[in-house]
């Protein structure tokens, strides 16, 4: 075959190949990107990355190469035109959301986006979230025995109530703890039993008091029973959960009453 004919065939094949539509790559996975922040410019996002590195919480273990700056262009699942700080990439959505929730305590704007991946292989780098350290139990005073009665949510706040009972020769006492979202103790209310032996011939002497606690919705009812030679009274507090600790609402008391304490069935703490 002449060289001119061979050249014509090659040229025709190249033209035909160039005009054929390119085959789209198949999506092999959907990764979950944990995005801390971002901007429209590389310079601004690099400054944001430096701030993120400085304030990174110890509870979240970094993976090699992260957090880092990425461009959103060309990535299915992200809005184009942004430069973002990526904390990590998780193959599992639940794991990504757990990292997001841990980072939001330091970086409130952190969010997760599902991003298509077209290449096989172990690409994701998912940070590890260390479990919260359990709060140590209260320390018993001499002659006391402390028992954990239970732990319940403080409404839908993510906080939790922890109730302990105190047993002593004097009677029953109570400890109420408000735990934070990481299991740390935000605040504690301790009410041991109190007893004074009085003279039966002296009315009102020898006042003694015991305490009990129970969760009622989002708040704790901490009630006392006080008695002396000639009288018995009930009283106490509604303990309300707050972001920085326990807020108290005093309950109306009653003396020498055989029925429930007035106000015990009323709404408290905004409920």
């Amino acid at each position: 075959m002449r060289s001119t004919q061979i050249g014509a065939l090659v040229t025709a094949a190249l033209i035909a190949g160039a005009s054929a539509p390119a085959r789209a790559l198949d999506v092999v996975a959907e990764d979950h990107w944990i995005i801390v922040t971002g901007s429209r410019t590389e310079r601004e996002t690099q400054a944001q990355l430096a701030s993120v590195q400085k304030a990174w919480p110890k509870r979240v273990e970094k993976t090699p190469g992260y957090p880092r700056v990425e461009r959103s262009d060309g990535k299915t699942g992200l809005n184009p035109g942004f430069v973002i700080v990526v904390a990590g990439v998780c193959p599992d959505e639940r794991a990504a959301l757990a990292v997001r929730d841990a980072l939001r305590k330091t970086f409130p704007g952190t969010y997760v986006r599902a991003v298509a991946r077209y290449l096989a292989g172990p690409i994701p780098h998912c940070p590890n979230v260390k479990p919260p350290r359990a709060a140590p139990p209260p320390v018993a005073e001499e002659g006391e025995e402390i028992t954990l009665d239970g732990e319940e949510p403080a409404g839908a706040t993510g906080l939790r109530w922890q109730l302990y009972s105190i047993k002593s020769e004097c009677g029953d006492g109570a400890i109420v703890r408000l735990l934070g979202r990481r299991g740390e103790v935000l605040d504690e209310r301790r009410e041991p039993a109190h007893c004074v032996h009085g003279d039966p011939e002296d009315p009102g002497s020898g006042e003694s008091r015991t305490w009990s606690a129970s969760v009622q919705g989002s708040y704790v009812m901490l009630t006392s029973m006080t008695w002396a030679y000639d009288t018995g009274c009930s009283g106490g507090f509604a303990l309300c959960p707050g972001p920085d600790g326990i807020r108290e609402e005093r309950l109306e008391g009653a003396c020498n009453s055989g029925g429930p304490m007035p106000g015990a069935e009323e709404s408290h703490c905004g409920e």
Side-chain angles (χ1 to χ4, degrees), residues 54 91-92 128 179 203:
K54 186 176 181 180
D92 181 71
N128 180 50
L179 305 182

Side-chain angles (χ1 to χ4, degrees), residues 64-86:
Y66 288 88
R68 71 186 188 192
V69 169
E70 292 273 7
R71 291 190 173 273
S72 64
D73 294 339
K75 297 175 177 64
T76 304
L78 300 180
N79 293 325
F82 289 92
V83 187
I84 54 178
V85 175
V86 182

Side-chain angles (χ1 to χ4, degrees), residues 36 51-60 99-110 182:
V36 180
S51 298
V52 168
Q53 294 277 25
K54 186 176 181 180
W56 190 267
K58 294 181 179 179
R59 189 178 171 220
V60 181
V99 177
R100 178 203 66 182
D101 292 345
L103 288 176
R104 274 185 173 176
K105 295 177 176 64
T106 306
F107 313 113
T110 303
R182 299 189 301 273

